[in-house]
Amino acid sequence: MTALLVNGVPRDLALDGGTRLADALRDGLGLTGTKLGCDAGDCGACTVLVDGAQACACLTPLGQCAGTEVETIEGIAATPEGQALMARFHAHGAAQCGICTPGMVVAATELLRRNPTPSEAEVEEALGGVLCRCTGYRRIIDAVRGVEASAETGTVGARLPRVDGVPKLDGTERYGADLAPADALWLRAIRSPHAHARFTIGDVAGFLAAHPGITRVLTAVDVPGRNGYGIYPHIKDQPVFAQHTALYRGDAVAAVIGTREALEALRFEALPITWEKLNALDDPRAALDAPALHTQFPDNVLAEGFVRSGDVEVALREAAHVVQGDWQTSFVEHAYIEPEAGYARRVRPEAGKEHLGDRIEIWSSTQAPAMDREEVAGVLGLPLEAVRIIPSACGGGFGGKLDAGIQPMLAVAAWVLDHPVRAIWPRSESMAASTKRHPARITARAGCDAEGRLLALDFEGIYDTGAYASWGPTVAGRVPVHATGPYRVPHVRARARAVHTHQPPSGAFRGFGVPQAAIAQEALWDRLADACGLDRLEFRIRNALVAGDVTATGQKLEHSAGQRLCLEALRPAWTEFRAEAAARNAKGGVLRHGVGVAGMWYGIGNTGMSNPSDMRLVLGTDGRITFFNGAVDIGQGSSTVLAQIAAEALGLPVAALRHVNGDTATTPDAGKTSASRQTFVSGRAAMEAALDLRQKILRGSNGVLGWDGGLTLDGAPFRPMAPIEGLGRFDPPTVPLDANGQGIPYATYGFAAQLCALAVDVKLGTIQLQRIVAAHDVGRAINPTLVEGQIHGGIAQGIGLALMEEYLPGRTENLHDYLIPSFGDVPPIETILIEEREPLGPYGAKGVGEPALVATAPAIFSAIRDATGATIHRIPALPHRVLEALKETGRW
């Protein structure tokens, strides 16, 4: 028995003293506001106060807390100081997905109690133990320091705080690990420790007899339907459980079901599995001439994208200046702070509906509930209507939770055992098993005329798609379209191939391969500008796409092409930063200062294919309007933005809407939360649904709708005799690409340009980021606070891509060996919103989620080259690689 105070209440906990404080709080007391992200003290999501001092609850034994006072987010949120702090977080948009936010608020509370007016450096130090993958930290710093924020009421254009923001702040939001039936069994996946191996599963009955508490071992033979899932109708190559051969380190070969205690005590060596290690391919170039991983792709080329316009060879021969280069990027881990988690249960039909058969329900963190539903139905061999996906709050996704990773396994277990089953992947398993950003090998050359006008680009990219397809075809198809960047290049030959290896599956990660291509392409533009004797910013302005231009795919940009405006908006900072860098460099020393610039464009939505979203609003007989919204908000703010759009169309405040989000049993299919599509596509569908509902309510009259806690019409309460439904659908107009990549791949594009000022320590090879300015054409900022938050968060991930993030299978499967940016790594960011309105978008809006990231790494590498003359070809630019690049210049 351990006695302690928890949030001021005496508690006697009949738990072993070695129990983790996090488990005692979450499981023993139901205080799930204390989140778990790493179980190793690396992420800080579980931060609590023990006798007023910060502690990681995942590392603190309960026995050490005897006689202490423990404060969790639930207790702090109930105090005036906590409410004031949370209000500042809310106004600043300092919580996005929210999984780290309770830890941030707890850490900030400890700081403010001892120092009510902290400096920026003091905030960074006090909160430095808590990692955030969404916000870029700057808004958190402002919130803690009490910087004034503009929080508004209103609809389109207003800085409305998130409609789902308060639960993220006070710890009441429910993520995948926060909810499950009390009697649920636990699942532990058994994964290959080898990149390529044959295996044999032996005496399962003997194993179960020797391990009481373990109920079942599931293997491929237990899958009721198709033992394979995937993104594309014709590629269901990733097995729920591999049969006989594992194709990457982390491939699931079985699952063990039982009590939590039995599974945690199970040693891997005790499993009845025999392994035969096989040779593994880890180089996609070598894989082109190696035995096939999948018979469907005999040359190991999963997919190829290609764009051709003009005659590249002739144009390069005639060019006044030609440059070329090679680049290699690495695996990048999504590192969402919430690992995969959820539960599944088999549901009997209601009385009188036995003919409908059993159903499966799954609660989990996901970006694509409708897609999960389809994959689970296939795996279980069930009709679609027998599967229900209920999305939990999503503690970060960035593309990594688009794949149905945990859902099929949970579904099989719950269906076969006819009992609720839950699972939480440990951080190491999450990193070993989940998809990554594609490593790329890129070779490119480009030419321009004597006046600096771009003539030609020849681009070849080999993208390591790993053992299974995931989103590899999408990446291969998107990269060649974007290979030129947002510039006029009349002669283009661009090819990208997604190639299978025995590496982790590479999937969707904020940009679908475009960030890698942008690194190469922007480096070429810098070198061409230098060759012409042109300012690097002016070179880009001279070549920037504008409305009326034709792209390499033959698409005429009719509207909303704000690239030149973005670049021109950077001119004042460009002049200022370069003058400052020159003055600092004149003083000498080991720090060399530089300023870099990069541009970006990004097609919104799927590439050249149908990409619809459906939305539904219902006015009930009680006078309340319910917004049935299937778009999953993973922190980007779609629940708020779509509500603002719908309210604008209705002519009502956002408060008039009740929200039902994501549940496949009640909401129409809004498509996946990816490709920066929800604001543009689902936003337009929400607008159409709201306009449809308004028209049906008014029935052609000129009445005035209002809101006083219920709908009013011409000032009087309006209660319909039967529910009135408004429906909306939008599918952006595109034309599939032909064999030469000609067509209309996207209905609209986001554009951006970013500057970076930094210093390079030429002795240590370290990089000190100083300032970043980001100008983004977003069409229309439905909610400027959320747009700026996306830009900040994307820049932070771009910093990680450029300078520190490199996933190595078996070596960096935790958050202390795999580094992501923390407070001190993100410099001050200035955002400039350009609003070149898109006629197809809801009130002119486009997307910004992925565009926020794409230009950051190229701008950083541009600045390194400006400071030192060194070109970074191997990415990330770790200090030893920077030193190698400096040495190659012959100057350092």
Side-chain angles (χ1 to χ4, degrees):
M1 187 72 69
T2 302
L4 67 163
L5 281 177
V6 178
N7 297 326
V9 178
R11 298 285 193 174
D12 293 316
L13 297 177
L15 297 170
D16 183 88
T19 302
R20 298 186 311 164
L21 177 59
D23 293 336
L25 294 171
R26 290 175 55 84
D27 303 328
L29 299 177
L31 298 174
T32 57
T34 299
K35 303 303 180 186
L36 295 177
C38 68
D39 291 325
D42 296 322
C43 75
C46 67
T47 299
V48 298
L49 301 183
V50 179
D51 284 341
Q54 292 184 45
C56 284
C58 74
L59 294 182
T60 304
L62 178 61
Q64 289 185 3
C65 299
T68 67
E69 180 175 7
V70 174
E71 294 175 83
T72 72
I73 185 61
E74 290 89 348
I76 290 171
T79 66
E81 63 174 345
Q83 291 168 7
L85 178 58
M86 291 189 301
R88 298 204 299 269
F89 267 69
H90 200 30
H92 278 281
Q96 291 191 18
C97 83
I99 192 70
C100 73
T101 306
M104 291 288 184
V105 172
V106 170
T109 298
E110 184 268 341
L111 167 65
L112 294 173
R113 284 176 179 173
R114 57 182 168 82
N115 183 359
T117 56
S119 66
E120 183 174 313
E122 288 168 331
V123 174
E124 290 181 0
E125 181 179 3
L127 276 66
V130 187
L131 294 176
C132 176
R133 194 58 159 161
C134 297
T135 66
Y137 301 104
R138 304 305 306 183
R139 292 296 172 80
I140 295 173
I141 294 171
D142 290 344
V144 175
R145 297 189 67 209
V147 175
E148 186 176 350
S150 299
E152 305 165 349
T153 58
T155 53
V156 168
R159 292 183 178 272
L160 184 73
R162 293 173 184 268
V163 297
D164 57 350
V166 172
K168 299 177 187 295
L169 292 158
D170 65 13
T172 59
E173 186 69 282
R174 293 290 181 260
Y175 296 84
D178 293 339
L179 188 66
D183 64 341
L185 293 169
W186 285 76
L187 178 148
R188 174 178 165 183
I190 307 304
R191 300 185 180 277
S192 171
H194 308 294
H196 189 202
R198 278 192 287 266
F199 63 91
T200 303
I201 298 177
D203 182 9
V204 172
F207 167 78
L208 293 174
H211 292 82
I214 295 181
T215 304
R216 185 74 179 264
V217 176
L218 297 175
T219 66
V221 299
D222 296 302
V223 178
R226 180 190 66 227
N227 185 28
Y229 60 92
I231 307 304
Y232 305 93
H234 64 297
I235 309 175
K236 303 298 181 185
D237 60 341
Q238 185 153 4
V240 181
F241 303 114
Q243 284 185 288
H244 312 304
T245 305
L247 296 183
Y248 78 101
R249 186 184 187 280
D251 215 351
V253 302
V256 180
I257 315 297
T259 67
R260 183 177 185 179
E261 296 75 18
L263 297 190
E264 289 179 346
L266 177 63
R267 294 178 299 106
F268 185 82
E269 296 78 13
L271 294 163
I273 304 178
T274 302
W275 300 93
E276 179 190 355
K277 188 176 179 181
L278 304 173
N279 292 332
L281 292 167
D282 61 6
D283 185 335
R285 296 169 302 182
L288 293 171
D289 298 314
L293 272 73
H294 303 279
T295 56
Q296 188 176 353
F297 306 105
D299 56 359
N300 284 320
V301 176
L302 167 69
E304 178 177 310
F306 187 70
V307 170
R308 183 202 303 273
S309 65
D311 192 322
V312 166
E313 294 300 336
V314 170
L316 288 174
R317 283 197 300 269
E318 296 176 353
H321 305 283
V322 176
V323 296
Q324 63 182 21
D326 301 283
W327 291 265
Q328 181 179 348
T329 70
S330 305
F331 281 115
V332 183
E333 159 68 21
H334 296 86
Y336 27 72
I337 304 302
E338 179 206 21
E340 294 80 354
Y343 78 87
R345 64 178 182 176
R346 186 169 178 170
V347 181
R348 301 294 186 190
E350 300 174 8
K353 298 182 179 180
E354 288 82 3
H355 62 285
L356 297 177
D358 290 1
R359 296 180 294 112
I360 193 80
E361 290 185 352
I362 303 173
W363 161 275
S364 67
S365 182
T366 178
Q367 293 180 237
M371 292 176 63
D372 291 348
R373 186 186 188 202
E374 294 174 0
E375 296 314 303
V376 168
V379 164
L380 294 185
L382 294 175
L384 200 61
E385 57 270 19
V387 180
R388 180 185 186 186
I389 305 295
I390 309 169
S392 67
C394 186
F398 320 112
K401 292 177 182 174
L402 284 169
D403 294 78
I406 197 170
Q407 294 87 351
M409 201 178 298
L410 283 173
V412 170
W415 189 263
V416 170
L417 274 71
D418 193 12
H419 192 90
V421 177
R422 70 181 302 187
I424 303 171
W425 292 166
R427 172 58 57 182
S428 58
E429 180 176 359
S430 173
M431 295 181 76
S434 63
T435 60
K436 305 287 176 277
R437 184 182 295 285
H438 283 74
R441 309 289 181 93
I442 294 171
T443 299
R445 53 187 180 139
C448 68
D449 64 18
E451 286 74 41
R453 293 181 180 84
L454 288 169
L455 295 177
L457 172 71
D458 192 11
F459 177 100
E460 177 75 25
I462 296 177
Y463 283 67
D464 186 345
T465 208
Y468 299 112
S470 184
W471 290 86
T474 297
V475 169
R478 184 175 281 266
V479 167
V481 174
H482 291 82
T484 62
Y487 309 102
R488 290 185 303 276
V489 186
H491 303 277
V492 176
R493 180 173 59 205
R495 180 172 70 157
R497 287 175 288 174
V499 180
H500 279 303
T501 66
H502 292 112
Q503 297 274 47
S506 296
F509 190 166
R510 208 169 192 170
F512 284 103
V514 176
Q516 300 94 304
I519 288 169
Q521 152 249 310
E522 290 290 328
L524 293 177
W525 302 162
D526 270 0
R527 291 171 59 189
L528 285 173
D530 291 347
C532 295
L534 287 175
D535 175 277
R536 288 170 290 141
L537 177 63
E538 297 302 329
F539 179 89
R540 288 168 169 82
I541 291 172
R542 179 170 298 184
N543 289 287
L545 288 167
V546 297
D549 282 342
V550 176
T551 72
T553 70
Q555 178 180 1
K556 184 178 181 180
L557 299 178
E558 300 285 356
H559 309 285
S560 191
Q563 184 60 29
R564 183 175 292 172
L565 294 175
C566 290
L567 289 162
E568 289 174 343
L570 298 180
R571 270 199 178 114
W574 176 252
T575 301
E576 175 190 348
F577 291 2
R578 295 195 71 200
E580 290 176 357
R584 290 171 176 169
N585 287 335
K587 297 177 181 178
V590 297
L591 292 181
R592 304 302 299 172
H593 298 266
V595 184
V597 60
M600 184 286 322
W601 70 330
Y602 196 78
I604 306 302
N606 294 350
T607 307
M609 63 176 62
S610 182
N611 186 24
S613 176
D614 290 281
M615 288 285 159
R616 176 171 171 254
L617 289 101
V618 177
L619 171 62
T621 56
D622 60 354
R624 297 295 306 272
I625 298 172
T626 302
F627 185 11
F628 293 95
N629 169 14
V632 175
D633 191 328
I634 63 173
Q636 85 281 22
S638 63
S639 291
T640 304
V641 166
L642 300 186
Q644 289 179 262
I645 292 168
E648 178 84 9
L650 285 167
L652 298 173
V654 171
L657 303 179
R658 292 184 294 199
H659 303 274
V660 176
N661 291 102
D663 186 339
T664 60
T666 57
T667 64
D669 184 1
K672 59 192 179 298
T673 295
S674 73
S676 304
R677 60 179 294 282
Q678 291 296 18
T679 294
F680 177 57
V681 182
S682 293
R684 174 65 183 270
M687 183 183 79
E688 298 294 343
L691 291 173
D692 183 45
L693 178 61
R694 179 181 174 85
Q695 181 184 39
K696 289 175 178 175
I697 294 170
L698 295 178
R699 298 176 184 175
S701 74
N702 293 319
V704 177
L705 297 182
W707 181 257
D708 64 358
L711 188 67
T712 64
L713 179 59
D714 295 329
F718 181 77
R719 306 290 183 269
M721 297 297 293
I724 302 175
E725 181 179 66
L727 300 176
R729 179 180 176 85
F730 180 59
D731 191 356
T734 61
V735 175
L737 301 180
D738 64 17
N740 285 316
Q742 299 301 293
I744 302 176
Y746 311 102
T748 192
Y749 297 80
F751 294 87
Q754 294 182 7
L755 294 184
C756 175
L758 55 71
V760 181
D761 187 317
V762 296
K763 295 298 183 183
L764 300 177
T766 54
I767 309 297
Q768 300 174 14
L769 300 181
Q770 295 164 334
R771 296 170 69 185
I772 290 176
V773 181
H776 281 255
D777 169 22
V778 300
R780 175 81 182 277
I782 301 296
N783 187 317
T785 295
L786 300 186
V787 171
E788 292 162 358
Q790 284 296 285
I791 293 171
H792 280 218
I795 286 171
Q797 290 190 340
I799 290 169
L801 167 66
L803 299 181
M804 64 186 71
E805 297 191 41
E806 183 171 28
Y807 175 79
L808 302 171
R811 292 171 55 188
T812 58
E813 292 170 353
N814 53 66
L815 292 176
H816 58 263
D817 291 318
Y818 184 88
L819 300 180
I820 67 173
S822 58
F823 274 92
D825 297 309
V826 182
I829 299 169
E830 177 187 353
T831 57
I832 303 171
L833 301 185
I834 306 297
E835 295 186 302
E836 277 285 282
R837 300 194 181 187
E838 168 53 59
L840 286 173
Y843 303 104
K846 301 189 286 191
V848 74
E850 287 159 293
L853 175 144
V854 177
T856 305
I860 290 172
F861 297 136
S862 175
I864 292 172
R865 185 172 181 273
D866 181 55
T868 66
T871 298
I872 303 298
H873 292 278
R874 181 71 171 91
I875 294 147
L878 302 174
H880 70 280
R881 292 175 183 154
V882 174
L883 291 175
E884 291 170 0
L886 292 172
K887 185 177 180 180
E888 289 174 2
T889 68
R891 295 170 54 188
W892 311 103

